[in-house]
Amino acid sequence: MKTPKLGTPLNTFGLIFETLCVRDLRIFADALQGQVYHYRDKNGLECDAVVHLRNGNYGLIEIKLGGDKLIAEGVATLLTLASKIDDTRMKTPSFLMVLTAVGDYAYRRTDGIYVVPIGCLKN
């Protein structure tokens, strides 16, 4: 497992925020009898959270503090990962989401990826 860099307070806060988001996602998934996993392949491509339900549906989530640059990085990762999924062997993801720390509302981008502030998950 790659050791995260804890160089700046912002990096450290990002890691703490990601941990708290995964905890919240696990609580929500558990209520639906689902599981939350972390994905990393042999090439280093990773996804912060994969929410998998018992019926086989799943969603891919990248967790970012916010800001256009970080959201764009999350989107790029999600699109790369989704393009590598062999849909002849498994379902395509039900959704792709960038989960952020800030924002008043969630929205769906033109490419279909949801950008959702953590505070909107409760609804």
Side-chain angles (χ1 to χ4, degrees):
M1 178 179 239
K2 189 167 99 176
T3 304
K5 293 182 182 178
L6 296 176
T8 67
L10 192 58
N11 287 346
T12 302
F13 181 70
L15 293 170
I16 293 168
F17 175 68
E18 183 177 323
T19 301
L20 292 172
C21 287
V22 169
R23 181 205 59 170
D24 287 357
L25 291 169
R26 285 187 173 144
I27 291 167
F28 295 136
D30 188 56
L32 300 170
Q33 298 181 345
Q35 298 287 323
V36 177
Y37 302 99
H38 178 86
Y39 174 83
R40 180 191 299 259
D41 69 13
K42 64 183 177 184
N43 299 316
L45 180 63
E46 71 178 302
C47 184
D48 296 327
V50 179
V51 177
H52 189 265
L53 302 180
R54 292 181 70 185
N55 65 3
N57 290 336
Y58 67 99
L60 306 176
I61 302 172
E62 273 293 296
I63 301 169
K64 300 293 182 186
L65 285 175
D68 293 339
K69 182 180 178 211
L70 290 176
I71 290 172
E73 288 174 10
V75 166
T77 298
L78 291 169
L79 292 174
T80 300
L81 181 55
S83 72
K84 294 182 180 278
I85 295 171
D86 182 358
D87 60 6
T88 63
R89 302 179 91 187
M90 66 184 299
K91 293 181 179 184
T92 58
S94 298
F95 67 91
L96 304 175
M97 178 185 0
V98 178
L99 188 59
T100 66
V102 295
D104 296 326
Y105 57 90
Y107 61 94
R108 185 175 182 197
R109 294 166 37 108
T110 56
D111 57 12
I113 296 176
Y114 294 96
V115 178
V116 180
I118 188 70
C120 291
L121 286 184
K122 67 180 179 175
N123 300 328

